[in-house]
Amino acid sequence: MTVELDKSVNQSTQMAFMVIEVMAEIGKPVALSELSRRIGSSKVRVFRFLRTLLSLGYVLQDPETDKYRLSYKLYHLGQALADSTDILREARPVMVELRDTTGFTVSLSQMEATGMRILDMVRTEQPVEIVTRPGALLDFHASAQGKIALAFGGAHLAEGPLRQWTGETLTDRAIVAADVLAARKLGWAEAPNQTLQGVTAVSAPVFDRDGAFIATLTIAGPTMIIGTPPAERFIEALIGAARKISINLGNTDQHT
């Protein structure tokens, strides 16, 4: 057969994914000639895409047989997507319940190399608008989510000066370290006016079935209402909700 590509979209991208899909369908190490035959394209062209996939770590080549196979990098990508989907499915009802209980906007975030990515939000009407949106990346030092990641997730602050978002953003590493130590002891962290002036965020960790840190659950609202430190009833509701999500994900450690 001859490969047919959609000329209305990027053909190189189509070809790269076609190589991956055919290799997955074959399910075992495959020679360049066989892969080219199955795809219906020249060996020169298929080799060009294999070389790119090799450089990115998605394909491996056996030095003895010269055959190609998919690497576990693709598996890990799929597993990460599955894990995120599980988290969102289990977290959403709890987030709605926490929003209704506290009256604050609730968000779920996951750790990345340079900060905390907001995956989902459940909003509420508040005197101070929460302008942060799903997809936003929050700095570790300037967010309650980031302090939890530093305390429980093995995150590290980047080298160089810490960005100042507001007049109250913590840019002294020693003070940030003290906040992280407190978060580890208390099981929650706050960031009053540190990313948005007039807004306090309070976060708690979510753990997976193996007890590993996997996400943060956060309430955010006007500093004057949440309080500094936050009112005990808000902390209890947040920690209880985070523990509920952890349990829904299979975590049975009562200390989380």
Side-chain angles (χ1 to χ4, degrees):
M1 73 174 185
T2 302
V3 62
E4 294 184 7
L5 300 177
D6 185 346
K7 293 182 173 57
S8 66
V9 294
N10 187 281
Q11 294 185 34
S12 293
T13 302
Q14 290 182 72
M15 190 66 184
F17 277 100
M18 185 176 294
V19 170
I20 291 172
E21 289 170 358
V22 172
M23 291 181 72
E25 182 182 306
I26 294 172
K28 60 181 181 181
V30 60
L32 173 61
S33 57
E34 173 63 12
L35 186 59
S36 300
R37 186 186 68 78
R38 292 283 291 269
I39 291 174
S41 186
S42 70
K43 288 194 291 184
V44 172
R45 188 181 190 196
V46 172
F47 175 72
R48 186 167 67 249
F49 287 97
L50 280 172
R51 186 171 56 187
T52 299
L53 293 169
L54 276 165
S55 69
L56 295 173
Y58 290 104
V59 167
L60 301 174
Q61 184 179 25
D62 188 317
E64 295 184 2
T65 66
D66 286 337
K67 290 186 176 182
Y68 298 89
R69 65 179 176 85
L70 296 177
S71 76
Y72 278 97
K73 188 172 183 179
L74 285 165
Y75 169 81
H76 292 308
L77 285 176
Q79 189 62 49
L81 176 60
D83 289 345
S84 295
T85 303
D86 287 344
I87 293 170
L88 292 174
R89 182 178 61 246
E90 298 297 342
R92 185 72 183 191
V94 180
M95 293 170 66
V96 171
E97 182 179 354
L98 181 60
R99 186 271 313 271
D100 294 343
T101 298
T102 62
F104 300 126
T105 292
V106 178
S107 64
L108 186 79
S109 304
Q110 282 193 312
M111 183 175 70
E112 296 187 3
T114 58
M116 295 297 292
R117 184 77 63 184
I118 298 179
L119 299 181
D120 194 14
M121 298 185 78
V122 178
R123 295 184 177 276
T124 187
E125 294 295 328
Q126 296 174 344
V128 179
E129 183 182 5
I130 308 296
V131 297
T132 308
R133 296 287 185 268
L137 187 67
L138 305 176
D139 286 349
F140 289 127
H141 71 283
S143 64
Q145 295 95 322
K147 293 174 189 177
I148 291 295
L150 292 166
F152 295 96
H156 299 282
L157 294 177
E159 298 295 330
L162 300 179
R163 187 182 336 189
Q164 181 126 25
W165 290 90
T166 74
E168 297 184 52
T169 302
L170 301 182
T171 57
D172 186 317
R173 290 174 181 269
I175 297 177
V176 174
D179 267 16
V180 171
L181 181 60
R184 192 176 296 123
K185 292 178 179 178
L186 297 171
W188 57 271
E190 65 172 330
N193 309 312
Q194 291 175 22
T195 296
L196 298 171
Q197 192 64 47
V199 174
T200 285
V202 189
S203 294
V206 174
F207 301 94
D208 67 13
R209 61 181 176 273
D210 298 318
F213 169 75
I214 194 172
T216 58
L217 186 66
T218 303
I219 56 173
T223 302
M224 66 180 71
I225 298 177
I226 289 182
T228 306
E232 190 63 32
R233 67 183 185 278
F234 299 143
I235 295 173
E236 289 178 357
L238 172 65
I239 290 177
R243 182 174 293 121
K244 186 174 182 179
I245 296 173
S246 298
I247 291 171
N248 289 351
L249 292 171
N251 184 279
T252 58
D253 185 353
Q254 295 303 307
H255 299 290
T256 60

